[in-house]
């Protein structure tokens, strides 16, 4: 799944659904949480991506 140029990878773990985000440079940003369903995992990944994109944009603007 692609979101703002990042790739969101969903996988099943023994204790729930895990999610990793891969940035446009190929760096993996794993989540330390597991979720009850895929929708919650994707929502968390999108929030993390939005946060990282915002931080980079603010740093460039400074």
């Amino acid at each position: 799944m692609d979101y703002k140029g990042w790739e969101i990878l969903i996988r099943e773990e023994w204790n729930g659904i895990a999610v990793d985000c891969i940035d446009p440079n190929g760096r993996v940003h794993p989540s330390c949480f597991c979720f009850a369903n895929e929708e919650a995992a994707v929502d968390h990944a999108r929030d993390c991506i939005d946060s990282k994109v915002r931080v980079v944009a603010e740093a460039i603007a400074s």
Side-chain angles (χ1 to χ4, degrees):
M1 173 183 302
D2 188 63
Y3 180 71
K4 294 186 177 181
W6 290 57
E7 189 174 350
I8 298 174
L9 300 176
I10 305 291
R11 66 182 190 287
E12 288 191 38
E13 296 287 336
W14 66 271
N15 58 342
I17 307 291
V19 64
D20 296 330
C21 301
I22 302 175
D23 69 21
N25 296 321
R27 282 180 260 146
V28 177
H29 302 266
S31 174
C32 57
F33 303 107
C34 281
F35 301 89
N37 57 56
E38 190 173 311
E39 183 180 342
V42 170
D43 287 344
H44 175 75
R46 288 180 177 159
D47 289 343
C48 290
I49 291 168
D50 288 340
S51 172
K52 291 181 186 303
V53 167
R54 188 171 34 256
V55 167
V56 170
E58 289 172 357
I60 291 171
S62 298

